[in-house]
Every structure is written in C-alpha cells, then in structure tokens.
Amino acid sequence: MQLTLRKLAPALVVVTLALAGCKTAPTKTSDAASATPQAGQQSTTPATASTVDFYLAHKEPGAGLREISLPDGKLYMQEVPVLTRADLTDAAALVDRQGQNFVGLRFSEAGARKLNDVSTKNVGNMLALVIDRELVAAPLIGEPLNRGVLAFGVPSAQAASEIAAKIRGDAAIPAGGAPAPAAKP
C-alpha cells in the first residue's frame, strides 16, 4: 500500500485539487450504464467482475444525454462510455493526511491518453464513474488530467476499499478477514 501511495501521491494532490467539486452520490442509474463490449473489444476480466465505465456528464440537459435523478438534483450523462476498466491498471483505497478517504485510479498508457483528451475537451463537465449500473462518483473536471491518474473522495475507508476492490475485480475483504456478503439491490 505504501508503495502505491508513494507512486500516486504527487498526482493525487493535483487531481484532488482539480476535482474539488466532486460528487459521490451512490445512486442507481437507468440503462445509461449498461455496458457491453464493443465489436472487436475483448474483456480481460473474469465474467463475475463488475462492469466499470466512465461517462461524460453535464449539469444541463442536451441532445444525446440521458437524465439521471440524484438525491440533490439531476445529472445528464452521455450514452457511450469514454473510458472502461480496460483503460485502468490499478485502483487503490487511499487516505490523505487530513483523514479524507479517496479512491485512486491509475490508467494504462492508452487510457491516460484518452483521459487527457477527454478532460482537456471537457473542463467544467463531470466524469461519471459507473460500476455495475450504479453511479459511484461524478467528479467535476477542473483542469486537463494529464498524469494518467484520477482520484475522487468517498465518505469512508470502507467505501474506498469496496469501490477499489470492485474496480480491480476483487472481492472486498472487510477488517475481520472474511469475504463481504453480496449487496442486495
């Protein structure tokens, strides 16, 4: 963990500042998050792994956007993901010196290029993380994300661990050491 934190720390600080407008409202989405591999795209994760996709999201409605209801308003997401699990190389639960909990993501070389391109063209919009058709986070893109990493705040260390484990395709393991029971929808 320390090695991962050391690798992610400099970029985490920059990304954390860039994404100060982070939203972390766990909310079921509608069909917007249904993810099926595109033609010619192979899945390198087990069949039981969570579906992980990133969508561009906006605060205002527009053509080609799907409305998502949140407890504090609405979000308008594009129909097609801009990044997927295939673009990631690592996910880790992190805690900063102030005790804030984060999920840190490291992207592959190709994923980092996509993240840079998407964020450069969409400063002021949000990058919505959807896992198994559930909106997990929608951080505001405050500046181009050109370091190949992304971090977003979560309410607890347990939430950070569970989200990171789902993204990696692992089963979350609680403090007691036994596998976590499956969550019911």
Side-chain angles (χ1 to χ4, degrees), residues 18-93:
L19 300 176
C22 179
K23 289 187 176 206
T24 55
T27 307
K28 290 280 184 190
T29 63
S30 56
D31 294 335
S34 61
T36 52
Q38 307 254 333
Q41 187 180 34
Q42 287 185 324
S43 175
T44 58
T45 56
T48 58
S50 299
T51 303
V52 178
D53 293 306
F54 297 84
Y55 296 84
L56 280 173
H58 307 268
K59 295 176 185 174
E60 300 296 327
L65 300 178
R66 181 175 300 245
E67 181 179 295
I68 307 298
S69 294
L70 301 174
D72 60 346
K74 296 183 189 265
L75 187 67
Y76 302 90
M77 285 187 355
Q78 290 184 347
E79 298 275 343
V80 178
V82 292
L83 294 157
T84 67
R85 178 201 302 276
D87 295 309
L88 294 168
T89 60
D90 194 20

Side-chain angles (χ1 to χ4, degrees), residues 108-161:
S108 65
E109 199 172 310
R113 283 191 300 271
K114 288 182 195 177
L115 179 63
N116 181 47
D117 184 50
V118 165
S119 63
T120 299
K121 294 175 181 173
N122 289 283
V123 171
N125 291 321
M126 293 166 274
L127 187 62
L129 169 60
V130 176
I131 301 175
D132 289 337
R133 299 173 52 113
E134 183 176 332
L135 178 64
V136 174
L140 184 69
I141 301 170
E143 65 184 21
L145 304 172
N146 57 11
R147 297 181 186 259
V149 295
L150 174 67
F152 57 91
V154 294
S156 69
Q158 180 179 352
S161 294

